[in-house]
Amino acid sequence: MRELNQLLEGLEYKILQGSLHKTITDLVYDSRKVTKDCMFVCVKGAQADGHVFAGEAAEMGASVLVVMEEVSAPENVTVILVEDTRYALALLSAAYFDYPANELKVIGVTGTKGKTTTTYMVKSILEGAGHKVGLMGTIETVIGEEVIPSANTTPESYLIQKYFRKMVEKGCDCCVMEVSSQGLMMHRTAGFTFEIGIFTNLEPDHIGPNEHKSFEEYMACKSLLFRQCRIGIVNMDDVHWQDVLTGHTCKVETFGFSREADLRAEDMRCIHRPGYLGVTYHTAGLLDFHVEIDVPGKFSVYNSLTAIAICRHFGVSVEVMKQALKGAKTKGRIEMVKVSDEFTLMIDYAHNAMSLKSLLTTLKEYEPGRLVCLFGCGGNRAKSRRYEMGEVSGELADLTIITSDNPRFEEPQAIIDDIKTGIEKTEGKYVEIIDRKEAIRYAIKNGRPGDVIVLAGKGHEDYQEIKGKKYPMDERDLIADILKEGI
């Protein structure tokens, strides 16, 4: 229960009809969840426009409507006009849950790559130092022992504030979250200030009819984070780092391999032995110590260096950082699965050409006997992704195993044929096995000493989407079954 005039504090609005002297029982933005005496915010979404359901919401008992265009409503219903209902929802949600972010130190990580892994590294380090840490991201939201699967990288503003309040109630003192460009563009993170905002990197991605109109818009959305945080920490090695800071209002720190960076990585070295890939490096500048992590590649250095740059502000000791980074793991992000003492197998979420190229290029630096890449592509998505991923794997992998991903409403064979179109531009060898479990069985059965085998595309996902339904399918379970069955 909240007083309406208190919820509207900090929000610019115009009263079209009705009174502000009302008690609100709930804040709702989905017309299917309207309850008696609730406030219904008419949000325009990709699939539906809440304004269409305004009258229905009033009939169902909503006593207040928040709109950005005029609607028809009974006289006893208060109608409030705002410029942007998404922005209003964020501010109203913060007020409704009594500004929980004020009781947390919130860390926001934005960038094209590295967000998920970095947030888990930060959580691991801060918990090692005695903090109680909430997490929000692509895979899940974690609040104490409660784990909530994610629908979006950055949840809707109402959910963010709801989760913040639950974190405070569970005793959390900080929260680390992934902040997507979509989340920033749609004002999901409005209504509070981040303690620290982080920029990892920026590459052309998420450009299209349902995402960003252009790379410039994508970059501009990322920059919004640095007008909403106290401390901004940015990757100086990325060519866009200064553009992302356009209009910033925060104190700025830099990290990277650059000698100009405030926190630097030096003397990077790859470590590999059968079944294990890792990397070591030395931090210099703001901190000075040696780091070893059980995840391969230069991007792992960036992720861990980002985490170090953040946790430095929490007074975490070097020993705690080193120990936490050594054991930090992220489901579906270069996740090693032990199947043999002779070769290495891993699961990774790489599901577009850019991420697959980055992953395979990194793994080639470890000079594997063979680099084997198993992947498929999602149905009802751009065909160009299939051609591009096929070409990347054909060029970089010694063997590609083409299989099924989430075919959705397409035939798996048609998707595979598109991938083959890309591979056949190269001289890369490939086999095609539609059934993903059988494809994985083939990869394991034919593994050779020194091989590195990547199961790409599914990562943390534990389902396969076919003709509108999600069927249970976790690659870890498939591997366990295959090993149990004796390959």
Side-chain angles (χ1 to χ4, degrees), residues 149-451:
S150 294
N152 298 304
T153 294
T154 306
E156 189 54 80
S157 57
Y158 176 89
L159 287 176
I160 288 177
Q161 297 296 335
K162 179 181 179 180
Y163 293 157
F164 281 164
R165 176 49 61 195
K166 291 181 78 171
M167 288 175 188
V168 171
E169 291 171 353
K170 291 286 187 178
C172 294
D173 59 347
C174 49
C175 169
V176 58
M177 62 184 291
E178 297 181 50
V179 182
S180 68
S181 53
Q182 286 277 304
L184 288 161
M185 181 175 72
M186 299 170 84
H187 306 300
R188 291 175 185 161
T189 60
F192 67 95
T193 301
F194 290 91
E195 182 67 22
I196 300 175
I198 296 91
F199 166 67
T200 60
N201 50 64
L202 195 66
E203 294 184 33
D205 197 14
H206 303 292
I207 314 298
N210 297 320
E211 295 184 275
H212 295 288
K213 291 181 289 187
S214 65
F215 180 73
E216 288 70 28
E217 181 187 276
Y218 179 47
M219 182 162 58
C221 289
K222 294 289 189 191
S223 73
L224 295 174
L225 179 60
F226 301 98
R227 301 171 212 175
Q228 197 187 332
C229 65
R230 296 183 178 91
I231 301 167
I233 303 175
V234 298
N235 176 6
M236 198 176 190
D237 295 346
D238 191 279
V239 295
H240 302 290
W241 75 274
Q242 289 175 308
D243 296 318
V244 166
L245 288 173
T246 300
H248 75 86
T249 57
C250 57
K251 177 186 174 185
V252 175
E253 291 180 8
T254 59
F255 69 94
F257 283 81
S258 169
R259 295 185 63 83
E260 311 293 314
D262 298 320
L263 183 68
R264 301 185 298 279
E266 299 177 344
D267 301 326
M268 175 189 136
R269 296 178 187 176
C270 297
I271 308 170
H272 58 102
R273 53 184 178 269
Y276 176 87
L277 302 176
V279 68
T280 69
Y281 66 97
H282 192 85
T283 62
L286 292 171
L287 291 171
D288 184 0
F289 64 97
H290 184 73
V291 180
E292 180 174 337
I293 48 178
D294 296 348
V295 189
K298 193 172 185 178
F299 49 75
S300 299
V301 174
Y302 278 118
N303 293 339
S304 57
L305 192 65
T306 310
I308 291 167
I310 294 164
C311 295
R312 188 183 73 84
H313 287 276
F314 289 79
V316 179
S317 72
V318 166
E319 284 309 310
V320 166
M321 287 191 196
K322 290 173 70 170
Q323 185 174 353
L325 287 172
K326 189 82 174 79
K329 297 286 185 293
T330 306
K331 185 178 181 181
R333 300 308 195 270
I334 314 187
E335 179 186 350
M336 305 288 180
V337 181
K338 185 66 181 291
V339 297
S340 169
D341 291 327
E342 295 190 324
F343 59 84
T344 304
L345 183 141
M346 67 182 69
I347 295 171
D348 192 82
Y349 188 51
H351 60 289
N352 58 37
M354 181 177 63
S355 56
L356 189 64
K357 183 176 182 179
S358 175
L359 175 64
L360 297 182
T361 301
T362 291
L363 295 175
K364 284 185 80 70
E365 293 175 5
Y366 287 80
E367 300 179 350
R370 290 185 310 166
L371 181 55
V372 179
C373 179
L374 179 152
F375 79 97
C377 287
N380 300 104
R381 297 292 187 270
K383 284 196 173 191
S384 57
R385 176 175 290 191
R386 305 168 192 177
Y387 308 143
E388 291 164 359
M389 289 185 71
E391 191 168 354
V392 164
S393 189
E395 287 177 349
L396 295 173
D398 297 292
L399 174 65
T400 299
I401 303 172
I402 316 172
T403 187
S404 191
D405 193 294
N406 292 319
R408 299 187 176 92
F409 291 93
E410 289 194 64
E411 289 302 318
Q413 187 61 55
I415 298 172
I416 287 173
D417 289 344
D418 286 336
I419 294 170
K420 283 160 57 179
T421 299
I423 289 186
E424 286 167 358
K425 290 182 180 179
T426 74
E427 296 180 0
K429 297 177 182 177
Y430 69 88
V431 297
E432 54 182 292
I433 303 171
I434 290 181
D435 185 285
R436 198 168 184 105
K437 181 178 179 180
E438 292 310 309
I440 294 171
R441 188 193 305 276
Y442 178 90
I444 295 172
K445 184 177 181 179
N446 291 280
R448 301 176 187 172
D451 280 359

Side-chain angles (χ1 to χ4, degrees), residues 39-42 51 64-68 78 80 82 85 88 92:
M39 172 190 279
F40 177 60
V41 184
C42 298
H51 293 81
V64 180
L65 301 176
V66 180
V67 302
M68 53 195 290
T78 299
I80 295 169
V82 297
T85 49
L92 290 166

